[in-house]
Each structure stands twice: as C-alpha cells, then as structure tokens.
Amino acid sequence: AKQGGNSRFQFYVASIDQEIRERKQLEKDLSKAQANREFHLVYQPQINLENRRVIGAEALIRWEHPVRGLVPPDDFIPVAEVNGSIVEIGQWVLDQACWQAAQWAADGMPLRIAINLSAVQLRRDTIVDDILDTLERHSVPANRLELEVTETSFMTNLEDAVEKLHRLHQAGISIAVDDFGTGYSSLTYLKRMPVQHLKIDKQFIRDLLVNEDDTRIANTIIDLGRSLNLSVVAEGVETAEQEYYLTQRGCKLAQGYFFSKPLLPDDFETFVAGFHQK
Ligand code: C2E
Ligand code: CA
Ligand code: CA
Ligand code: CA
C-alpha cells in the first residue's frame, strides 16, 4: 500500500511539476509575443436594437502562437495579469484600437470602440495620462472610446478607481461595467462610479428563455439600468428569440454571434456595410 501511495504521490508531484513548467513556458512565450507581432485584434459589432444600426465595436485580443496556434485570451490574460505583462499588452491593445478607430473615421465610419481594461492597468498611477495621450497621438476624440471594466477593478481601492474613472469620464470617455452580475455587485459603487453602460454577462443570456433565474437576472439588470439611467448591453446574443425578448424588454444594445462573431478589420467593414443595407 505504501508503495502505491508513494507512486501516486510522485505522479501527482510530476503533474504539478509539468503544470508549472507549462505555465513558465507560456509566460516566456508571452514575453516575446509582442515583439514577434503575434497579437492582433478582432472587432465584434455592437448593435442598437431600436434602429438596428451598428453603434460600435468591442476590440478583443487574439494571440497566434507559432506552435500552439490561437491561444484563447481566457488562457493568457490571467497569466499576464499575474506577472504584470498585461500593462504592456493592454497599452498595445489601446494603441492598436485607437489606430483602427482613426482609420475607420477617415473611411467615413466614425464608430465607438470599446476595449477591455484590466484591473491591473487601472491600478497604475499613469493610466489616465497613458489613455489620454494615446487618444491624442491618434487624433481620436475621447467620446469614440469606451472602457470596459469589471467589478473587481473597484475592489482593491475604491477611492482610487473612482478618481481615475472620473477623470477619464470628464475627458469624454464612456465607461461600461463588464460581466455585470457575475462578481462583486454592489449598488454602492454603481452610485459612485461614473459609469454609463452595464453589460449583462453572456452566462445570463445563454439560457435566457430556458432558465427562469437567468430571465429574472437579465430583467433585473435591464430595470436597474433604466432606473439609474444607464444603458444596458446584452452580450452573447446568439438567437433571434433572445434578440426579440431583449428588445421588447427594453434592452437597447446587444452583441453576439447572432449578429456577428468578432471580425478582422476588413471583414468588420464589410459587415457594417451589409448590415446597414438590410
Ligand atoms: P469579455 O470581455 O466578456 O468578452 C466577451 C467574450 O464573449 C469574447 O470572448 C467574445 O468573443 C465572446 N462572445 C461574443 N459573442 C458571443 C456569443 O454570442 N456567444 C458566445 N458563446 N461567446 C461570445 P474572447 O474574445 O475569447 O475573450 C474572452 C475574455 O478575455 C473577454 O471576455 C475579456 O475578459 C478577455 N479579453 C479579451 N481581449 C482582451 C483585451 O484586449 N484586454 C483584456 N484585459 N482582456 C481581454
Ligand atoms: Ca468585454
Ligand atoms: Ca463577459
Ligand atoms: Ca480599410
């Protein structure tokens, strides 16, 4: 028995060991990814449900690893947040998205671009200036940019987050609370934060018409948005039934595979032109 336990223990240690090695390798590859130009952005259209116009796009990062292929952001963003490389990656995202916004504006398509801002980025002392400088460098008006922040961003230092988001908002940038309802949801911060949008997480939209709890949660967020004068964005809309339900329930904005997957810039332009012709 002792023998068996021992070997099982060794097996366990070996698998942890391998996990650590894989993680180290991922970090190492991640540190070279930017210099090797392995990142790119895709853009998912955000739709105004009332008039069926594309009002903007959410920029989402993609990492094309030379060996592993496409690595999902959910696999590497958390790693980048722990080792701090999210700061550099996030600045690259901001820069790239602003460059794209300027391109689209020059092409007669002045859309708003939303980017995901990590809690780690928001904690930086220079973040407000970094964002404003980037907009200026690309001559993008601040109201063309939206920042998606999660509830975790408010947890570590509420005062600090309030102060920074106020400065960003005063400059004209809009703020959305991402994954609303999944984390630390408190009405206190909603009152104090200069936020304009709530994004209903896709986990509540997936079974919207099947699971009563999800229907109630979505309804509650829509009503909360209305009473606090915040516009609500439903994320992960995949079916016509979901769109119909959300529209008649008073949700004004949506994104999801039903309209479009996140797209490369050229495909995004084609999508917008086609969508507006319908
Ligand atoms: P998120 O911000 O909540 O983004 C929504 C995710 O849902 C995206 O996954 C998007 O591709 C996916 N999605 C959109 N429509 C649908 C749909 O109809 N059905 C389903 N099942 N999924 C849909 P993605 O691109 O894999 O990104 C995952 C997460 O990684 C994001 O979640 C965000 O938290 C993070 N992320 C992505 N890009 C960035 C970035 O540039 N910076 C930071 N800090 N985080 C990012
Ligand atoms: Ca997001
Ligand atoms: Ca989400
Ligand atoms: Ca073009």
Side-chain angles (χ1 to χ4, degrees):
K2 190 172 181 246
Q3 190 79 32
N6 216 354
S7 78
R8 201 160 63 224
F9 177 70
Q10 274 169 7
F11 178 72
Y12 181 65
V13 170
S15 78
I16 288 192
D17 193 55
Q18 189 184 343
E19 228 169 80
I20 292 172
R21 258 187 286 124
E22 273 173 16
R23 173 108 176 183
K24 286 231 168 80
Q25 187 62 48
L26 187 80
E27 284 186 55
K28 209 171 134 214
D29 295 348
L30 200 51
S31 69
K32 291 181 293 190
Q34 202 168 333
N36 293 347
R37 301 171 153 272
E38 290 163 10
F39 293 131
H40 67 272
L41 294 182
V42 286
Y43 297 88
Q44 187 173 40
Q46 297 183 320
I47 313 292
N48 178 330
L49 295 174
E50 289 179 324
N51 60 12
R52 290 198 129 252
R53 302 284 298 180
V54 178
I55 57 128
E58 177 179 3
L60 294 154
I61 196 168
R62 293 293 176 263
W63 179 16
E64 186 73 51
H65 187 283
V67 181
R68 295 173 53 175
L70 218 49
V71 184
D74 281 329
D75 288 359
F76 72 85
I77 295 287
V79 175
E81 287 179 323
V82 170
N83 79 5
S85 57
I86 190 65
V87 171
E88 244 184 277
I89 295 171
Q91 178 56 44
W92 177 84
V93 169
L94 181 65
D95 212 63
Q96 186 66 27
C98 287
W99 177 84
Q100 189 63 69
Q103 291 290 305
W104 280 337
D107 287 354
M109 208 171 68
L111 295 175
R112 188 185 70 199
I113 295 196
I115 67 158
N116 293 282
L117 190 74
S118 160
V120 177
Q121 288 176 274
L122 189 62
R123 246 182 270 142
R124 302 268 300 172
D125 285 341
T126 56
I127 188 65
V128 175
D129 292 331
D130 291 346
I131 292 170
L132 299 180
D133 288 351
T134 308
L135 284 169
E136 200 174 293
R137 196 151 16 87
H138 293 281
S139 307
V140 172
N143 64 8
R144 220 45 78 64
L145 181 68
E146 175 152 296
L147 299 173
E148 299 193 355
V149 296
T150 57
E151 294 155 320
T152 16
S153 299
F154 310 145
M155 285 177 66
T156 25
N157 190 341
L158 185 70
E159 295 305 320
D160 185 60
V162 170
E163 189 261 332
K164 284 167 176 164
L165 293 181
H166 265 292
R167 275 160 65 205
L168 291 164
H169 176 58
Q170 246 145 33
I173 295 167
S174 61
I175 315 288
V177 183
D178 209 352
D179 302 345
F180 187 75
T182 64
Y184 156 86
S185 299
S186 152
L187 299 178
T188 314
Y189 79 71
L190 269 190
K191 211 180 109 193
R192 298 197 48 200
M193 288 292 165
V195 301
Q196 293 78 52
H197 299 276
L198 298 180
K199 292 192 83 174
I200 309 178
D201 193 68
K202 60 177 185 288
Q203 78 174 74
F204 304 121
I205 302 298
R206 192 184 48 215
D207 298 325
L208 181 66
L209 300 161
V210 187
N211 182 311
E212 274 182 33
D213 287 339
D214 290 343
T215 315
R216 284 199 202 100
I217 291 171
N219 289 347
T220 304
I221 298 175
I222 293 167
D223 293 340
L224 182 66
R226 189 179 297 117
S227 51
L228 293 177
N229 206 14
L230 306 170
S231 56
V232 175
V233 189
E235 123 190 323
V237 175
E238 293 190 359
T239 68
E241 290 73 23
Q242 291 165 349
E243 184 205 2
Y244 179 77
Y245 179 83
L246 290 161
T247 305
Q248 58 89 29
R249 194 62 185 64
C251 177
K252 299 216 163 52
L253 305 168
Q255 62 185 100
Y257 297 164
F258 177 62
F259 305 103
S260 170
K261 295 202 163 189
L263 299 168
L264 290 169
D266 282 349
D267 297 331
F268 183 88
E269 286 174 38
T270 310
F271 171 84
V272 174
F275 192 78
H276 286 166
Q277 239 145 52
K278 275 193 228 156

